Amino acid sequence: MERATASRRRGGQLVDALLRAAWDEVSAVGYASLTMEGVAARAGTSKSVLYRRWPSRAALVLAALRQRVGSMRDDVPDTGSVRADVLSVLRRYRDTYQEVGADIAHGLMTELPDVPAEVFEVTPGVMAAILDRAAQRGEMRLGRVTPRILALPGDLLRHELLVSGGRVADTVLAEIVDDIFLPLVT
């Protein structure tokens, strides 16, 4: 009689299963109650398998979120207008926040020291790409734009999302772009 062998997940298949389990677990129990043990149990693996890939639950949840909604870095808008591009980025960030929910967003904020530094480089990188394209189109001339200025639209939106409970109108996004960001970069 042959013994059935369980197939062992490896590589991308394993990572996908772990990230799905992490998202399912955080959705079921909330960020505050999320544990690596719970994710490991849901994934049918051990905590060490998780810790080999993600050093903290914040890093794990961010990876699961990235798998679920993608990364703006991989899909920078190119509408042909710097204003429209920046508004598109802010709308996507707002919509992602609403999909993810305040529980996860606030939970991640409580663990900022565990959030990988690369997370804070996404918005400045996306804004730099948008401004570079705008300059190539002749829409604007780049002056001295600092990383702080590039991060500003995302920082202002994050503040609005936190104080409004996630309800940020398009008019607020337009104010961030038209009244603050574009005057700084043009």
Side-chain angles (χ1 to χ4, degrees):
M1 174 173 8
E2 275 190 47
R3 195 168 153 197
T5 59
S7 71
R8 187 171 168 160
R9 301 170 295 185
R10 296 188 185 278
Q13 182 186 26
L14 174 61
V15 170
D16 287 347
L18 296 173
L19 293 176
R20 275 193 311 277
W23 187 259
D24 291 346
E25 184 71 5
V26 74
S27 297
V29 303
Y31 193 89
S33 297
L34 180 72
T35 63
M36 294 299 241
E37 293 87 358
V39 174
R42 188 178 285 267
T45 192
S46 67
K47 288 189 314 183
S48 64
V49 170
L50 295 171
Y51 279 116
R52 267 185 241 131
R53 289 160 180 82
W54 302 282
S56 66
R57 70 180 181 163
L60 174 60
V61 169
L62 284 165
L65 174 62
R66 202 171 303 118
Q67 180 192 50
R68 183 172 177 80
V69 299
S71 173
M72 183 62 71
R73 183 181 285 162
D74 300 330
D75 189 23
V76 178
D78 188 5
T79 65
S81 158
V82 67
R83 181 181 188 275
D85 289 348
V86 176
L87 281 170
S88 177
V89 168
L90 295 181
R91 282 187 194 106
R92 181 166 170 200
Y93 284 158
R94 177 196 59 198
D95 296 347
T96 297
Y97 179 92
Q98 290 171 341
E99 179 181 340
V100 168
D103 173 66
I104 294 172
H106 293 164
L108 288 168
M109 300 270 310
T110 65
E111 295 186 354
L112 280 179
D114 293 331
V115 172
E118 69 188 41
V119 169
F120 303 104
E121 297 165 3
V122 173
T123 300
V126 168
M127 292 301 156
I130 289 170
L131 294 181
D132 285 344
R133 275 190 285 203
Q136 290 170 9
R137 289 190 302 263
E139 191 175 352
M140 61 183 293
R141 289 186 348 188
L142 289 179
R144 186 168 168 222
V145 179
T146 66
R148 171 103 35 226
I149 291 170
L150 293 172
L152 190 59
D155 293 346
L156 292 171
L157 175 57
R158 184 173 32 260
H159 171 77
E160 290 292 331
L161 288 166
L162 292 172
V163 300
S164 73
R167 294 173 299 280
V168 177
D170 281 344
T171 55
V172 174
L173 301 181
E175 289 172 355
I176 291 171
V177 173
D178 296 335
D179 299 343
I180 300 168
F181 185 63
L182 288 180
L184 285 173
V185 298
T186 57

